Amino acid sequence: DYMLKNDTSTAQDYLISFARLMRMVLENSEYKEISLEEDLKFIELYLQVESKRLPGRFSYSINVEDGVNTENTLVPPLMLQPFIENSIWHGFASKESKGYILVEIKKGNQMLVCSVDDNGSGRKINGVERDNKKSLGITIAENRIKILNKQKKSNGKLKITDKPGNAGTRIEVSLPLLTAF
């Protein structure tokens, strides 16, 4: 779109960000675990790229609880991205007002609790889910959590909450608290 509009400067900025994003996906996908700091850099870049693609359609915040050492905390890469993508592509698709995504990272009971909370249109229409098929992102996340639980003898889980009145969705991923050192 930027190229067609002859906005070469913006097109170049977008392509550079997109290339960095793809590079991060390739690099991070090699590892079972990366630092939370690296994962948050990826999430920030992903949200920036989507914001450029959909200017003015949504805003976002990323909050990390005090006491969470992002350099030392390890997480599976790309765990939250599919849920953020769902918020943008599905939750805000039919929404007329501006969307908002809040990504939060907290610690509790030897678990790292990561959430994605949006004010999108939600997963249900008149109390019925939009389609009967389960999201591939949800299935992959659940399988990754099961593997992690088995490996680390933990009780990680994925919790999806549909907000009342189709006021959005909240995803909460609980992972065992792992540290590099």
Side-chain angles (χ1 to χ4, degrees), residues 164-181:
N166 296 338
T169 306
R170 178 178 173 81
I171 306 291
E172 197 171 272
V173 179
S174 299
L175 301 168
L177 187 58
L178 305 173
T179 55
F181 47 89

Side-chain angles (χ1 to χ4, degrees), residues 32-179:
K32 282 194 266 183
E33 295 153 351
I34 61 171
S35 72
L36 177 58
E37 180 179 48
E38 282 301 310
D39 202 47
L40 290 172
K41 284 179 188 176
F42 171 80
I43 289 169
E44 175 72 34
L45 182 57
Y46 176 73
L47 285 162
Q48 287 173 5
V49 167
E50 287 290 38
S51 291
K52 287 178 185 175
R53 187 178 68 80
L54 300 166
R57 292 285 295 133
F58 71 94
S59 61
Y60 64 90
S61 297
I62 300 172
N63 296 336
V64 179
E65 181 181 61
D66 288 343
V68 175
N69 183 336
T70 58
E71 281 180 58
N72 190 32
T73 303
L74 298 175
V75 295
L78 306 169
M79 184 64 90
L80 296 181
Q81 185 276 335
F83 303 116
I84 296 167
E85 181 179 317
N86 283 347
S87 294
I88 296 166
W89 285 75
H90 303 294
F92 302 151
S94 61
K95 188 174 175 66
E96 291 185 27
S97 59
K98 188 173 183 177
Y100 179 72
I101 298 171
L102 172 62
V103 177
E104 287 185 301
I105 310 295
K106 299 178 180 182
K107 281 193 316 190
N109 298 327
Q110 293 302 310
M111 300 295 278
L112 186 70
V113 181
C114 310
S115 64
V116 177
D117 196 320
D118 71 49
N119 70 340
S121 56
R123 298 184 309 155
K124 297 181 179 183
I125 297 174
N126 298 325
V128 179
E129 288 205 26
R130 293 174 189 261
D131 51 30
N132 293 333
K133 65 180 183 178
K134 192 171 189 180
S135 159
L136 184 59
I138 291 171
T139 302
I140 291 169
E142 286 173 334
N143 289 337
R144 291 176 78 192
I145 292 169
K146 282 179 189 174
I147 291 167
L148 196 58
N149 281 339
K150 194 172 188 175
Q151 290 173 339
K152 307 296 181 187
K153 295 179 177 42
S154 67
N155 193 24
K157 63 184 174 194
L158 171 65
K159 180 180 176 186
I160 302 171
T161 305
D162 297 307
K163 295 180 185 178
N166 296 338
T169 306
R170 178 178 173 81
I171 306 291
E172 197 171 272
V173 179
S174 299
L175 301 168
L177 187 58
L178 305 173
T179 55

